[in-house]
Amino acid sequence: MINMKKDMGGGAIATGLCMLLKASNFNFELILPVVENMINGEAYRLGDVIEHDNGLTTEVLNTDAEGRLILSDALCWAEGGDGYVIDFATLTGAARVALGVEVGMYFTDDDELGERIYRKGLEVKDPVWRMPLYEGYEKRLKGKISDLTNVTRDGGLGGAITAALYLKNFVPEKKKWVHFDVNGMDEHGMGEANGLRACWEVIKEIVEEEKK
């Protein structure tokens, strides 16, 4: 449990990025879904069906896949108009297995935005790698007594992709969305801010373009 402090890594990176935005007087909204993770009489249980803010329901097939449940509601709250939604989450062990601790994994269905992030990551030596939102896996998240399940029933293969596909159901329409599945901690037990500098450079570039 000592190393589970890394599970707040996504929130820490989002907060750090917003500190940069605030210092530059950029308009933004920070949403941090922060919850107590200790067991008590109000804790959810295996098999529970949860209703989300957008009306979708999720059956809990794995109580350890709790981060995506709170993040899904946070994404719902990012409604209103167009614009960008960037989420950072220490969501899956699959991301760490696939890319290690030094490369940030990200997902987006916007090709132009995805290319910008990759390019800026190279420029500022913040290595990131785009992964596919493969629609063929969506059926693995369909529930029998709910709209969705919080994990697949088939053993979790492609776990980072299915987690991202799960979150996609909660992104407001018209938003350009990027999801970072980050490590939060490097091999020495220190914080690892995967994707922060790449996103900061992209945001500055977009702001300058919108001024023209």
Side-chain angles (χ1 to χ4, degrees):
M1 291 297 292
I2 296 297
N3 288 335
M4 293 310 290
K5 290 184 175 68
K6 71 179 185 297
D7 268 14
M8 50 75 71
I13 294 172
T15 302
L17 179 58
C18 287
M19 290 175 68
L20 291 171
L21 294 171
K22 183 178 180 181
S24 300
N25 295 315
F26 292 168
N27 292 323
F28 69 94
E29 181 179 12
L30 171 64
I31 301 174
L32 287 176
V34 179
V35 299
E36 175 56 68
N37 205 24
M38 287 294 292
I39 298 171
N40 65 19
E42 296 182 354
Y44 70 166
R45 297 168 295 271
L46 197 65
D48 281 355
V49 174
I50 297 172
E51 183 174 1
H52 300 275
D53 277 14
N54 66 350
L56 292 177
T57 56
T58 295
E59 182 183 6
V60 177
L61 298 186
N62 186 330
T63 55
D64 193 41
E66 80 285 5
R68 66 199 68 184
L69 296 176
I70 60 172
L71 183 53
S72 60
D73 278 342
L75 289 171
C76 291
W77 301 338
E79 59 187 357
D82 52 11
Y84 297 83
V85 174
I86 306 174
D87 78 68
F88 294 88
T90 41
L91 207 62
T92 70
R96 187 181 183 96
V97 170
L99 297 184
V101 297
E102 296 183 9
V103 181
M105 177 182 292
Y106 71 103
F107 298 81
T108 181
D109 52 7
D110 187 293
D111 290 336
E112 180 183 357
L113 182 57
E115 179 58 30
R116 280 183 188 237
I117 293 171
Y118 177 70
R119 174 168 46 83
K120 288 299 181 182
L122 291 177
E123 289 179 9
V124 298
K125 294 182 172 55
D126 183 10
V128 294
W129 191 258
R130 183 182 177 188
M131 298 290 278
L133 286 164
Y134 176 57
E135 295 180 354
Y137 289 166
E138 289 179 345
K139 59 182 178 292
R140 296 165 58 194
L141 291 166
K142 297 299 182 185
K144 295 180 179 179
I145 59 173
S146 59
D147 297 307
L148 301 165
T149 56
N150 71 329
V151 295
T152 63
R153 297 177 185 273
D154 56 7
L157 297 177
I161 297 174
T162 55
L165 288 170
Y166 175 83
L167 293 175
K168 186 180 176 183
N169 289 282
F170 303 94
V171 179
E173 293 184 10
K174 300 182 180 179
K175 296 288 189 181
K176 294 183 178 181
W177 169 62
V178 182
H179 161 59
F180 274 85
D181 193 341
V182 296
N183 303 300
M185 185 180 293
D186 65 17
E187 66 271 21
H188 305 296
M190 303 298 291
E192 185 71 49
N194 302 116
L196 188 156
R197 287 175 292 140
C199 286
W200 172 233
E201 294 299 321
V202 169
I203 291 169
K204 289 192 296 182
E205 185 175 78
I206 292 172
V207 169
E208 287 301 314
E209 291 174 355
E210 292 180 347
K211 288 180 180 179
K212 298 177 182 179

